[in-house]
Amino acid sequence: MQIIEHWIGGKPTAGGSDRLAPVWNPATGEVQAQVRLATESDVDAAVQSAKAAFASWGQQSLSNRSRVMFRLRDLVERHELELAKLVAAEHGKVVDDARGEIVRGREVIEFACGITSALKGGFSNDVSRGVDSYDFRQPIGVCAGITPFNFPVMVPMWMHPIAIATGNTFVLKPSERDPSASLLIAQLYADAGLPDGVFNVVNGDKTAVDALLDHEDVAAVSFVGSTPIAKYIHERGQQRGKRVQALGGAKNHAVVMPDANMDWAASQLTAAAFGSAGQRCMAISVAVAVGDAADELVGLLKEKAEAIVVGAGDDPEAEMGPVVTQASCDRVHAYLESGVAQGAEPVVDGRGLRVEGHLGGFFVGPSVLDRVTPDMDVYRDEVFGPLLAVVRVDTLEAAIDLINANPYGNGTAIFTFDGGAVRTFERDVNVGMVGVNVPIPVPTAHYSFGGWKDSLFGSSHIHGHEGVRFYTRAKVVTSRWPRHTESQAAQLNFPTSS
Ligand code: NAD
């Protein structure tokens, strides 16, 4: 059986561990490969390689760094289908959906191609007589990325193109559930002319993560994953004196006002709840139906959820694939069961789904529960599967109160034609990313991505100009050039700008 290794110092590297983890094919329920789990010394080898590479990569001209990004961008485009198939095989999502994440990841590389503009500093002439000030930003060293299973290409790309374009070197620890795409990305970086050691991949679990967090040569850690681990990474990384941005889980609400185009809103919610089998941090998992919206909305959601074609990721007819593991499948089943036991009404129940030819696969069908209330487990927890809960409220204010009382604050959306309602909603809701008639408001690469509350620990969002700031530090120079012949008496008072 294939063993998936690390990528250290510009080449595939086996490392010293005999610990392996299974990589499943979620569509069949079979183990298709094993991934090697790094030891502390494997992590150290990757960090040392990145540290050595930093000495020269950090000194490269901006144009040379951006040229590598231009070449990488083209290679990622040329290998889009190959990458998408790798993702589909290990994650389970359908190939077209996987292509979408590769395009969105590539947009971050496109932003990094423009690093020459993004890193432009400021200059102030004559801040005092004969004195000028200017500032610029410098890379911070070896940066680490620890990423989740659900976007094995896009989420790492939120990090490494910007870290590398700003002059840092990078060690990626991808999810052990779908590690292969990261190794192809490493090969594409090499083909793009990136020097050895600038981009490294260590596969592994908690051992590798802790080794990165504790390593004195790692300057910054970017994490994306579930909330408990995000919190842990943030605390431990900060205790070790590192910069940390840690993005966590989500419970995203979409508010549907009674005046909305109900058919259109229901289609948007169906796509946002069941695309990628609900395993997106920006998936809509709660529909908040305001006033009279509820009955019509629920009827339409039922119709549209039942029409979804579920199948293996490589089935061109399939719109939704399996969830990632048997444990995920069991978790969704358990929340459906507890939701109904606690008083929710099952509208569509995906538990009985059978996908012919894939009876061992981790499939659970699109599911809708109506009359969910905030005290139910299915409302309180992040389910991370194809389960949409409908909560009924009377007013927009009640919808906003509901969302603000929720500990998560990643994304949210409102469906309406009422501009006043939109304005109130976008200002009063305590959530980092807001969609107006857009169900999954994932910002494009030149904006930053990040939630509030338990969806993000640290002060910095990811990618865009916040990414540039996270991976660099500012230096401000104050300069004066007296003539050789000029003389001045020593002035002991504190200098003022006159
Ligand atoms: P996860 O938290 O289980 O794993 C994320 C990473 O942390 C992986 O690389 C994993 O190996 C590592 N990890 C897991 N347990 C660890 C431990 N005990 N100690 C140290 N490291 C550990 O998340 P997942 O299941 O891979 O991904 C799904 C989660 O990610 C969901 O909660 C989803 O909302 C979240 N997510 C959030 C965003 C966002 O932008 N906020 C984006 C994508 C996914």
Side-chain angles (χ1 to χ4, degrees):
M1 183 171 284
Q2 185 203 357
I3 295 183
I4 299 164
E5 308 285 4
H6 318 298
W7 180 283
I8 298 174
K11 55 181 186 304
T13 307
S17 168
D18 53 8
R19 281 195 315 129
L20 301 170
V23 176
W24 298 91
N25 177 343
T28 61
E30 287 159 3
V31 176
Q32 55 180 328
Q34 301 274 353
V35 59
R36 200 178 297 280
L37 303 175
T39 60
E40 284 176 13
S41 57
D42 297 330
V43 170
D44 183 53
V47 174
Q48 293 309 335
S49 161
K51 187 181 175 187
F54 178 65
S56 54
W57 180 248
Q59 305 293 319
Q60 288 273 332
S61 71
L62 282 171
S63 342
N64 277 351
R65 299 202 304 248
S66 101
R67 273 183 208 121
V68 170
M69 289 298 150
F70 273 105
R71 288 194 290 266
L72 178 71
R73 183 235 165 265
D74 287 348
L75 287 165
V76 168
E77 185 171 51
R78 262 189 269 153
H79 289 266
E80 183 180 302
L81 185 58
E82 191 184 346
L83 280 164
K85 284 183 175 170
L86 275 179
V87 170
E90 294 180 352
H91 174 289
K93 64 176 78 174
V94 300
V95 171
D96 275 353
D97 186 32
R99 290 185 91 142
E101 79 158 283
I102 290 148
V103 172
R104 294 303 300 268
R106 203 178 72 215
E107 287 170 8
V108 184
I109 306 176
E110 287 161 3
F111 174 81
C113 289
I115 203 65
T116 42
S117 311
L119 271 183
K120 204 160 171 287
F123 183 93
S124 297
N125 188 47
D126 276 339
V127 289
S128 184
R129 254 177 303 151
V131 178
D132 305 324
S133 276
Y134 49 97
D135 69 352
F136 52 93
R137 302 191 70 89
Q138 292 184 300
I140 51 179
V142 179
C143 300
I146 301 158
T147 53
F149 81 86
N150 67 325
F151 284 109
V153 172
M154 181 184 76
V155 167
M157 279 185 186
W158 286 350
M159 307 169 181
H160 56 74
I162 298 180
I164 290 173
T166 49
N168 302 282
T169 54
F170 203 84
V171 179
L172 172 65
K173 204 303 284 172
S175 171
E176 59 275 44
R177 294 188 208 154
D178 44 16
S180 294
S182 294
L183 296 168
L184 179 50
I185 295 296
Q187 180 65 58
L188 298 183
Y189 262 126
D191 295 347
L194 190 74
D196 293 349
V198 177
F199 179 74
N200 305 274
V201 179
V202 282
N203 285 307
D205 55 7
K206 182 171 167 52
T207 303
V209 171
D210 288 349
L212 284 168
L213 291 172
D214 294 347
H215 203 296
E216 61 176 12
D217 291 322
V218 172
V221 176
S222 302
F223 171 86
V224 176
S226 59
T227 288
I229 311 296
K231 216 169 181 169
Y232 165 76
I233 301 274
H234 184 244
E235 278 168 20
R236 188 159 171 162
Q238 283 219 314
Q239 278 164 9
R240 306 291 187 277
K242 302 182 192 316
R243 285 187 185 191
V244 186
Q245 51 180 186
L247 282 67
K251 194 83 186 173
N252 304 314
H253 299 63
V255 176
V256 182
M257 298 295 285
D259 72 318
N261 174 338
M262 230 31 96
D263 185 69
W264 197 77
S267 289
Q268 300 290 314
L269 261 59
T270 302
F274 305 122
S276 198
Q279 300 170 115
R280 293 176 180 148
C281 62
M282 291 290 273
I284 293 294
S285 50
V286 184
V288 186
V290 178
D292 295 342
D295 288 343
E296 190 184 353
L297 179 68
V298 170
L300 288 163
L301 288 172
K302 175 175 162 61
E303 202 179 286
K304 290 175 195 287
E306 285 175 345
I308 292 172
V309 180
V310 182
D314 60 1
D315 174 354
E317 301 296 310
E319 298 170 289
M320 183 185 120
V323 292
V324 69
T325 54
Q326 184 60 49
S328 297
C329 203
D330 296 344
R331 193 182 60 238
V332 181
H333 283 206
Y335 278 113
L336 275 163
E337 208 168 300
S338 76
V340 174
Q342 290 168 5
E345 280 177 18
V347 177
V348 186
D349 186 341
R351 280 176 287 185
L353 179 84
R354 286 166 61 88
V355 176
E356 290 310 323
H358 292 85
L359 295 181
F362 310 137
F363 289 97
V364 49
S367 302
V368 180
L369 288 180
D370 191 11
R371 298 185 190 278
V372 170
T373 53
D375 53 321
M376 295 179 187
D377 294 335
V378 67
Y379 176 81
R380 285 208 312 265
D381 300 344
E382 181 184 31
V383 177
F384 220 57
L387 199 174
L388 179 62
V390 181
V391 178
R392 296 172 177 237
V393 298
D394 292 333
T395 61
L396 173 64
E397 287 66 32
I400 294 172
D401 289 347
L402 176 80
I403 297 169
N404 288 350
N406 193 282
Y408 296 106
N410 214 39
T412 189
I414 184 167
F415 289 85
T416 182
F417 290 106
D418 179 343
V422 168
R423 195 167 190 284
T424 301
F425 183 74
E426 64 192 19
R427 277 162 183 71
D428 291 355
V429 78
N430 292 333
V431 173
M433 293 171 283
V434 180
V436 177
N437 297 310
V438 171
I440 302 193
V442 175
T444 48
H446 53 300
Y447 283 90
S448 64
F449 180 107
W452 287 11
K453 302 192 281 184
D454 284 358
S455 295
L456 186 143
F457 302 90
S459 53
S460 168
H461 281 197
I462 213 159
H463 72 59
H465 289 280
E466 293 226 0
V468 172
R469 275 193 291 277
F470 182 76
Y471 291 122
T472 56
R473 54 187 164 182
K475 191 171 270 180
V476 186
V477 179
T478 304
S479 77
R480 177 176 212 167
W481 297 93
R483 309 297 305 173
H484 281 298
T485 51
E486 214 172 309
S487 76
Q488 189 182 61
Q491 292 176 349
L492 271 64
N493 53 336
F494 191 67
T496 55
S497 310
S498 53

